Amino acid sequence: MSVLLKRQATLDHVVPRTRGGLDAADNVAVACRTCNSSKQDLIFPSEWIPNRDSFTYIKSSEPLPHLTNISRMARRITRLVAQLDPREDPPSVAKVCADHHWRPRAVHLALAEMHQRGAFCVFAYPCAPATRHFQPITDPHNAFAGGTWVGGWE
């Protein structure tokens, strides 16, 4: 809350009204005016997140379910997730790419692929700074699989 006190709060439409988004509670989140303005008509968190490499995190998990016909990078991420220590802070895409010499765009595409296939759910927060957390889902029948939850300030 202290971050918001120094900024002017606005309601951000996750899916902008110009792209069919509604004024419904599940489509709005509290965001500062700066973030809301810079987002324009992009969809958060799939299309817009400032400095996405530094503020997209991959959490650890038990081994992910076996996915067939996935990209090579998605297989690499599957192995990485199993090796991460759950007691440590999750690494950002920027750190993972620096450590493994991977291309950020390839990692983001693989994360999106795995999210669509239900191997991850995404928890996203719109600003101060905007973040995304890819949480692995080990059970493909889990209600969270492939879902995206957007939260404002608590």
Side-chain angles (χ1 to χ4, degrees):
M1 187 70 155
S2 62
V3 174
L4 183 57
L5 292 176
K6 298 178 192 263
R7 301 176 181 203
Q8 188 173 9
T10 63
L11 283 180
D12 175 51
H13 290 79
V14 178
V15 177
R17 289 183 293 193
T18 59
R19 294 177 65 181
L22 302 175
D23 286 326
D26 64 349
N27 190 47
V28 294
V30 176
C32 72
R33 183 170 300 282
T34 303
C35 286
N36 198 351
S37 296
S38 71
K39 180 176 166 278
Q40 300 175 0
D41 70 341
L42 299 174
I43 296 174
F44 174 80
S46 59
E47 297 174 2
W48 175 87
I49 182 166
N51 303 314
R52 70 180 185 163
D53 297 345
S54 297
F55 296 110
T56 297
Y57 302 94
I58 304 170
K59 296 198 173 189
S60 65
S61 173
E62 301 169 15
L64 290 167
H66 179 69
L67 298 174
T68 58
N69 300 322
I70 58 175
S71 67
R72 186 171 142 195
M73 183 56 71
R75 287 192 303 274
R76 289 177 175 173
I77 290 172
T78 299
R79 288 190 298 271
L80 170 76
V81 165
Q83 295 171 356
L84 293 174
D85 186 344
R87 295 169 297 195
E88 295 180 7
D89 289 336
S92 67
V93 168
K95 178 163 178 27
V96 167
C97 290
D99 291 350
H100 297 281
H101 306 288
W102 294 346
R103 294 183 182 177
R105 178 163 167 69
V107 172
H108 286 289
L109 289 173
L111 288 170
E113 171 190 355
M114 295 172 78
H115 176 245
Q116 291 170 353
R117 301 278 301 274
F120 285 104
C121 64
V122 178
F123 294 92
Y125 303 91
C127 67
T131 59
R132 288 188 293 199
H133 299 268
F134 281 83
Q135 176 69 46
I137 299 293
T138 57
D139 176 8
H141 303 295
N142 185 316
F144 288 107
T148 301
W149 281 264
V150 176
W153 281 267
E154 301 297 335

